Structure formats: C-alpha cells, structure tokens
Amino acid sequence: MSSLTTTPSAATPAPPVATRGVRRPRLSGMIWLVWRQHRAAYWTLLAVTAIAVAWMLYQRAGLLDHLTAKGWPHSSPDTWTENISPYSAALTKASLGLGFIPILLGVFLGAPLLAGDLESGTAKLVTSQAAGPARWLAAKIGISALVVVVCTVALSFTFGRWWAPVSKQNTVLDWSSGPAFDNTGPVPVALALFTVLGGVAIGMVLRRTLLSMVVTFFFAAAVQVVWAHFRLDLGHVIRVTTDSGVDGGTPPLPTAAFEIDQSYVTSSGETLGWSTCVHAGSDKAVEACRQQKGIVGWAVDYLPITQMSGMQWLGASILFALTVAVTVFVFFWGRKRVV
C-alpha cells in the first residue's frame, strides 16, 4: 500500500541567516572632508609626536638608570649629578626642539588652514553646498585644534616626566627658564593653540597662503618674545632679609629657588643697591659709608619652585582666553567674508 505522505529521514538544515557585518565608526560629512583634505599634515604631526615621545621615554630610562646607580634619591645631589652632562645635554637639546613647535604649527598648519582654500576658491565651493561657513569653520578649527592638543599634551607630559627627577637642580635645567617652564604643564598646549589660531586668523584676513605663512612666522616669534619677557611676572616675589651685617653673607634660599635681586637693607627697612658705597675708597671708608646709611644686612628677592605650577596655569589661562577671543573673531569675520 502506498502512502501519500513521506517522512524525511533527516531534518532539512535551515537556510543560513544572513548576518550583518559590524560597522566600524567612520567619519562622514564635513568632518570627513576636512580630515581627508589635511590628513597628510595630521598624520605627520601624530607620527612625529609618537617618535618624539618614544625617544624621550628612552632617554628618561637612561637618566633614571644613571641616577639610581648614584644612589638617587637618597644620596646627596652632589653625588648623583656627577657625570650627568650627557643626560642634561639631551634634555637641553630636546627642550630647544620643543620650543620651536608653536612656531612651526602656526606657520605650517594655522596659516594655510583657511588661506589655501580662500586663495584657490575651494572655500566658496564648499560653503555654497549644504554646509554653511560656520559649520566649515567649526570643522576646520575643531579637528586641527584637537590634533594640536593631543600632540602637545603628549609631548608636555613626557618631557615633564623626563625632567622631573632633576627638576630641583638648576645646574641641569633651570625651572624658571624657557626650556623647562615653556615645555611642561599646560604652557605648551596654550602657546601652540594661540599661535595656530593666530595663524588661522591671519590667513583668513590676508587670503594668501605664502604671505600668511610669512606674517604668521613674525607673529609667532613676537608671541615667544613677549611671553619670555613677562614669564617671571606671573609669580609672587618673596623677599628674605638679614640683620647680622653685610659680612655675614646673604640669607640661604630654598632648593631650586630662582634669585631675582640682591640689595642692602637698612635699619628702617629701606633697600639700597648692592653697589652702594663700593666707590667710597678703602675698606674703612666703605664700612663708614655703610654705617652712615644704616645698612644692617642683606635683602634677597626670589621665586621658589613651588610657584611654578601656579605660574604656568595662570599664564596658560591668559593664553587660552586670548585663543578664545581669536576664535570668536574668526567665526564673526568668517561667516560673512569667508567667501
């Protein structure tokens, strides 16, 4: 007898279910356009930063090996600073190189960022599409600023860690000098951002790439000069005095203190220049001159290293405020005159 129904001997396998591939986050729109346009500059900055960070970490390891072998940090500094010249020379060279970064970023990244598009007419084409000038400016400035911040933070942090074991030894790298002060903490970030945004503003106004780069170079150099002139004014000067006579010597200062000035102090608290009575003649005449003027000891003005961080953040805050002001100018100017 035949049957109209048959039972399968084995279960028929279910058809494979199509699975979607996991989509990776990808840039799109204006952000993708800006990154693609400037990707060579961005990747170059990131690659150079990675190489510099690796080199500084290697140098720091060598410095720590040298210091540890000399008994650091428990031995006297006179012991572990012996034969430290090669390591201090490497620190100095690195600090000088890092000091040029704000200028290079301003000239080669900030100045051409808008000037190139304005000169070639690309800005008019882009902003005439769905994206307006404000969105174009935001993408240009935002991505560039992010890359600058990432690179300068990495360099500042690594250099600070390298210098930290010998930061209280002014003979290695004085904390109050530009090579140390300007390359650690928030200062490199603030200087770089201000210089880059200044270059962007110059390029937007001049609308010529080469001319903008030249003008930005002088602008960045002027920023460095002004910053160096007012750097120490960010601190609060401390004065220490003695009243045991001039021959007793100047008062001792804290470790790594930066001495600003020495002067004589009188019994009334008045200060006189250290050259007072120098030309009086013989030693007896000089002593008589000091007694006549009421000089009783020394007065020394200095800045302690403990103020370094506060000085850096105060200066960086001023630079950040200036950067915000320049950014606002770029947006107000660019929304109407970018094309």
Side-chain angles (χ1 to χ4, degrees):
M1 184 176 67
S2 64
S3 176
L4 295 177
T5 60
T6 59
T7 303
S9 58
T12 304
V17 179
T19 59
R20 280 187 175 184
V22 179
R23 297 185 62 182
R24 299 178 179 178
R26 301 179 66 181
L27 301 179
S28 60
M30 186 61 68
I31 296 178
W32 173 85
L33 178 63
V34 171
W35 180 269
R36 182 173 179 81
Q37 182 183 10
H38 301 286
R39 64 186 184 278
Y42 295 152
W43 281 119
T44 300
L45 285 176
L46 293 171
V48 171
T49 299
I51 295 172
V53 166
W55 180 78
M56 286 191 288
L57 289 175
Y58 173 78
Q59 293 292 333
R60 180 178 184 271
L63 175 63
L64 288 178
D65 290 342
H66 169 80
L67 296 177
T68 304
K70 296 290 185 178
W72 176 87
H74 305 292
S75 62
S76 170
D78 295 335
T79 301
W80 50 262
T81 53
E82 293 178 358
N83 302 323
I84 203 173
S85 299
Y87 303 98
S88 62
L91 269 170
T92 302
K93 291 178 181 178
S95 65
L96 292 176
L98 293 175
F100 284 104
I101 288 179
I103 298 177
L104 295 176
L105 289 176
V107 172
F108 293 102
L109 178 63
L113 192 67
L114 300 183
D117 290 346
L118 293 171
E119 185 176 16
S120 64
T122 305
K124 186 175 183 179
L125 175 63
V126 173
T127 55
S128 63
Q129 306 301 318
R135 185 178 174 186
W136 178 68
L137 289 171
K140 282 266 192 176
I141 295 175
I143 296 176
S144 300
L146 178 61
V147 173
V148 169
V149 169
V150 169
C151 293
T152 50
V153 166
L155 292 172
S156 173
F157 177 79
T158 308
F159 183 80
R161 292 280 295 171
W162 179 15
W163 173 65
V166 293
S167 60
K168 293 185 178 180
Q169 300 302 313
N170 290 342
T171 55
V172 177
L173 199 63
D174 185 5
W175 71 267
S176 62
S177 64
F181 192 94
D182 297 349
N183 293 319
T184 57
V187 175
V189 183
L191 280 173
L193 281 178
F194 180 58
T195 305
V196 169
L197 265 297
V200 171
I202 291 171
M204 185 184 64
V205 173
L206 298 181
R207 305 170 75 95
R208 295 292 183 272
T209 303
L210 184 59
L211 178 61
S212 300
M213 294 173 71
V214 173
V215 175
T216 300
F217 172 80
F218 288 103
F219 164 76
V223 169
Q224 293 288 335
V225 171
V226 174
W227 173 260
H229 180 74
F230 291 102
R231 182 192 303 117
L232 296 181
D233 293 338
L234 299 170
H236 173 67
V237 178
I238 297 176
R239 170 171 292 177
V240 59
T241 61
T242 63
D243 57 2
S244 56
V246 175
D247 296 333
T250 58
L253 301 181
T255 303
F258 174 72
E259 184 178 307
I260 297 176
D261 189 24
Q262 289 184 3
S263 57
Y264 291 134
V265 61
T266 65
S267 56
S268 62
E270 181 185 1
T271 56
L272 303 174
W274 61 268
S275 60
T276 302
C277 299
V278 168
H279 303 292
S282 62
D283 293 342
K284 290 184 178 180
V286 170
E287 184 62 28
C289 175
R290 292 172 179 171
Q291 291 180 358
Q292 180 184 2
K293 295 183 178 296
I295 295 175
V296 296
W298 290 95
V300 179
D301 297 333
Y302 72 95
L303 289 173
I305 192 175
T306 53
Q307 291 190 20
M308 180 180 179
S309 179
M311 293 168 62
Q312 287 180 317
W313 279 105
L314 176 59
S317 299
I318 297 173
L319 291 173
F320 285 140
L322 293 174
T323 302
V324 171
V326 174
T327 305
V328 172
F329 166 76
V330 169
F331 274 90
F332 271 95
W333 179 286
R335 289 181 63 182
K336 296 183 179 180
R337 308 189 187 186
V338 77
V339 296

